[in-house]
Each structure stands twice: as structure tokens, then as C-alpha cells.
Amino acid sequence: PKQLQISRRRLALSRDPRFGDVGKRIAVLEDLCENLILVGEYAQAIPHLQEAESLASHIGAIGQQRRILDLQAQCLFRLDRWGEVLEVHEKCRELEERHTPEEMGMTCMIIAFSAAVLALRGDDDQARVLREEAYAIMVRGSGGSPNKWGRTQHY
């Protein structure tokens, strides 16, 4: 698709040594990955997401780092790499220990993917705990009512 070609071109331009805006490079990587995900190219997205995560960690962009971890979990889940989904969730938990909820943003997506992995592995009790945690975060983030959830807030 054309948008994917544009994203790849933007990434190539951001790799020019004269391009010094690391935050913008992270955004370009994130955009490329979102476009790769849209066409089902999860494995292609992962190395770019790992690069974006490293850059975000380096500059202390905690919100971006958490969003990138969400995308990593999504790709890994779709590739049935369940153990790695749980590893990414652990990275997110470690970030939560060091940063405020305001810095982190909503962590419900990665928790929901981990809940699904645990359910698929047969750990129904722990899956339920995580599912309830993700649900509570979603309710808080949507103003206290699931009736206010947007169409992308159901996963």
C-alpha cells in the first residue's frame, strides 16, 4: 500500500546523519510499524519496534516506550510468540515501578494481551486477574464508564 511506501521513505530520510531529532525518528519508526501491522507484517515490524524502544529508553520518552511495548506485544501475540508477550509485559511492569501513571499512560493493552496468553495456556485464574486489571484501567481511562469506550477500546 501507498502509506507503507511513504512510511518506509520517511524512515530512510530519518536515517540520514543530518537528521538529529530522535523523538521524530521514534515517531517515524512507530508510524512504519503501525502500517506494517495493518498489512499483517508483524515479523517485519518487530526489529523496528525494538529500535524505537531503545531510542525511547535512551531519551527517557516513557509514554512512547510504553506505546511501543504495546505494539511489540500485539505483533508477538499475532505471531504466537506467547512467551515473548509475557517478557514484554514484564518490561512494562518494570517501567511502572520507576515511573508515574501519568508518565506511563494507559497500560491496559499490554495487560490484555498477557491475559489472553495466560488464558490460552490454561492459567485461567491469573488470566482473570489480568483481565480485571485491564478492564479497571479502561474504565478509569474512559471517564468511569464502559459506555464511553470508543470502538478501538474493545480488545
Side-chain angles (χ1 to χ4, degrees), residues 20-139:
D21 188 338
V22 177
K24 184 69 170 173
R25 182 172 299 138
I26 295 166
V28 167
L29 284 161
E30 207 173 339
D31 179 66
L32 171 62
C33 292
E34 287 171 351
N35 283 302
L36 287 167
I37 289 167
L38 285 174
V39 296
E41 295 294 344
Y42 309 112
Q44 281 186 35
I46 290 172
H48 297 295
L49 289 167
Q50 291 169 334
E51 178 184 356
E53 177 194 357
S54 176
L55 291 170
S57 175
H58 181 72
I59 66 168
I62 304 309
Q64 281 183 304
Q65 191 175 356
R66 196 264 316 143
R67 283 192 310 277
I68 292 161
L69 291 173
D70 284 347
L71 293 174
Q72 282 183 33
Q74 180 179 0
C75 290
L76 294 165
F77 184 82
R78 298 274 171 91
L79 292 167
D80 294 330
R81 292 166 57 178
W82 297 347
E84 291 173 80
V85 171
L86 298 176
E87 290 171 12
V88 169
H89 183 201
E90 185 56 35
K91 283 185 186 180
C92 188
R93 291 286 194 209
E94 290 169 4
L95 277 177
E96 283 181 302
E97 290 175 8
R98 297 189 314 268
H99 301 281
T100 67
E102 293 76 26
E103 290 174 303
M104 290 291 296
M106 293 178 59
T107 58
C108 49
M109 185 173 178
I110 198 163
I111 295 168
F113 279 118
S114 294
V117 165
L118 292 171
L120 289 164
R121 287 183 165 184
D123 189 347
D124 295 333
D125 292 336
Q126 188 60 31
R128 185 179 67 265
V129 168
L130 291 182
R131 191 171 47 249
E132 290 171 0
E133 181 182 353
Y135 183 83
I137 292 168
M138 288 294 289
V139 169

